[in-house]
Amino acid sequence: MKKMPVILDCDPGIDDALAMLIMYQNKEIFDLKLISASAGNTPIDITTKNIQFFAEKFFNGVKVAKGIGKPLKVVHPETAEDVHGVGGLGNYQIPEQNYPYEEDSVEVMYKTICDSKEKMNLIVIGPQTNIAKLIQTHPDVVSKIERIYAMIGSINGIGNVRPYAEFNAFFDPDAFKIVSMSGIPMTINPMELGHNSRLKKSIFASANAKNDIQIMIQSIIDGLYEWRDPSLVSIFDLHTVYSIVKPELYDFVPCDVNVTLDGKKDGECFLKENPDAKNYYISLKNPAEANGEILEDLFSME
Ligand code: RIB
Ligand code: CA
């Protein structure tokens, strides 16, 4: 089967880590050209270090680039160490990293996209700062990108970090606005999907972990703290990748992407159904069935 050329931009982050593990388990699908770090769940130095760790352990040889350390315009105080832990990977501690990385993710991304014979796909599961800067700096890149698969925003203008805004959208609303207006088709994994498919944390703790990777998954999840209900965990980002690996588990709804940028509800997002739109939002056909498959996949990883 022909591999999908892809760049991953992420802010690991526990659910980013799970998304990377699903990519690792399905390497036959992805031609992963580059992993770039965005700031978000934790500061850029931590997300970059976590990406170095995953690159060395699971994607050895892939290019790594450090992204922009703060939002394009307005810096909000919120990062998400309270949810993901200070190191960004829950209770899992990684050693100092030496895996090579390049400093300027925008230029590395642009060169990677220009050097590709095929149009590039972007999997973007953190704030969209790097992508927006890429579009601003190199507008010609829009015609070289096939599709953006993003975890961001919500269908009905709801949020987690604010009542009206999901974290990735709120962290850099100007970036999300730029990307949503760029004309690059997006497949959006909205906040509602992760919230409506939360899993019991205890299921991970009681799983029969048979190797280091599965023990790492348990330790990562064990350190995830969701203040709404600490007994449950959302694995938002994983579904962005899983909907590519197992599309049969999802509905794909054509939609327009509307991002609020009014100084009052920056980052608010409405995904309005439009049969003629090139964007989609995804929803799970059967959350319980999907969660069963996800747990089976995570605890069969080797
Ligand atoms: O709101 C959930 C999103 O914010 C996920 O991408 C999570 O990793 C955090 O970045
Ligand atoms: Ca993320």
Side-chain angles (χ1 to χ4, degrees):
M1 180 170 84
K2 194 163 178 32
K3 287 193 171 190
M4 171 187 181
V6 67
I7 290 173
L8 172 65
D9 189 77
C10 57
D11 63 331
I14 288 171
D15 52 335
D16 306 71
L18 297 184
M20 284 194 274
L21 286 172
I22 296 294
M23 290 185 79
Y24 159 68
Q25 193 174 42
N26 295 277
K27 281 190 165 176
E28 73 285 355
I29 295 177
F30 301 103
D31 179 5
L32 182 59
K33 305 282 189 184
L34 166 68
I35 309 177
S36 59
S38 57
N41 286 320
T42 55
I44 193 72
D45 291 338
I46 302 285
T47 58
T48 303
K49 193 175 131 191
N50 290 336
I51 288 171
Q52 288 175 278
F53 170 74
F54 273 86
E56 179 145 39
K57 195 168 173 65
F58 299 104
F59 306 103
N60 211 332
V62 75
K63 259 188 292 185
V64 170
K66 183 175 183 178
I68 299 163
K70 58 184 178 44
L72 295 182
K73 284 189 186 161
V74 179
V75 181
H76 297 298
E78 284 86 352
T79 45
E81 288 93 336
D82 56 329
V83 175
H84 295 263
V86 171
L89 297 175
N91 291 344
Y92 192 74
Q93 302 302 321
I94 64 170
E96 276 316 301
Q97 293 300 310
N98 302 312
Y99 191 89
Y101 69 89
E102 301 183 57
E103 280 294 339
D104 186 344
S105 75
V106 169
E107 292 314 310
V108 176
M109 230 184 264
Y110 182 59
K111 185 175 182 320
T112 303
I113 292 168
C114 292
D115 288 351
S116 173
K117 292 189 185 65
E118 300 164 279
K119 289 175 81 167
M120 190 60 64
N121 295 281
L122 308 184
I123 295 178
V124 186
I125 49 180
Q128 300 192 337
T129 311
N130 296 328
I131 314 305
K133 195 70 183 168
L134 170 68
I135 294 166
Q136 282 182 322
T137 315
H138 300 288
D140 63 301
V141 80
V142 168
S143 64
K144 300 175 170 62
I145 296 172
E146 182 69 33
R147 181 166 286 271
I148 293 176
Y149 298 83
M151 190 282 142
I152 197 163
S154 68
I155 301 167
N156 296 305
I158 59 171
N160 44 17
V161 70
R162 289 290 186 281
Y164 57 82
E166 176 277 325
F167 179 87
N168 291 335
F170 182 71
F171 189 91
D172 195 339
D174 299 276
F176 185 19
K177 185 79 173 176
I178 289 166
V179 176
S180 71
M181 306 278 284
S182 68
I184 301 170
M186 292 174 84
T187 298
I188 291 185
N189 164 16
M191 194 195 88
E192 287 92 339
L193 190 156
H195 263 199
N196 298 337
S197 59
R198 275 177 285 181
L199 300 100
K200 283 199 177 327
K201 201 172 181 181
S202 56
I203 289 179
F204 288 87
S206 58
N208 171 26
K210 297 177 281 302
N211 58 36
D212 287 352
I213 295 179
Q214 296 174 27
I215 292 167
M216 179 185 78
I217 291 169
Q218 283 185 317
S219 174
I220 286 176
I221 290 287
D222 190 40
L224 175 55
Y225 183 80
E226 293 209 23
W227 42 272
R228 272 191 176 78
D229 180 345
S231 71
L232 297 176
V233 291
S234 310
I235 51 177
F236 298 105
D237 292 339
L238 175 144
H239 289 283
T240 308
V241 175
Y242 218 59
S243 68
I244 298 169
V245 173
K246 297 192 176 179
E248 67 279 7
L249 297 177
Y250 299 82
D251 286 319
F252 294 78
V253 180
C255 68
D256 293 327
V257 183
N258 302 298
V259 182
T260 304
L261 206 51
D262 61 1
K264 300 187 194 74
K265 290 190 166 183
D266 289 355
E268 179 188 55
C269 172
F270 291 95
L271 303 175
K272 195 167 176 308
E273 229 176 299
N274 171 3
D276 304 325
K278 297 182 296 181
N279 308 304
Y280 297 98
Y281 69 77
I282 60 173
S283 63
L284 279 170
K285 288 176 176 164
N286 180 330
E289 178 198 348
N291 281 343
E293 292 202 28
I294 289 166
L295 285 164
E296 205 174 296
D297 287 351
L298 289 175
F299 287 98
S300 64
M301 231 168 247
E302 48 191 31

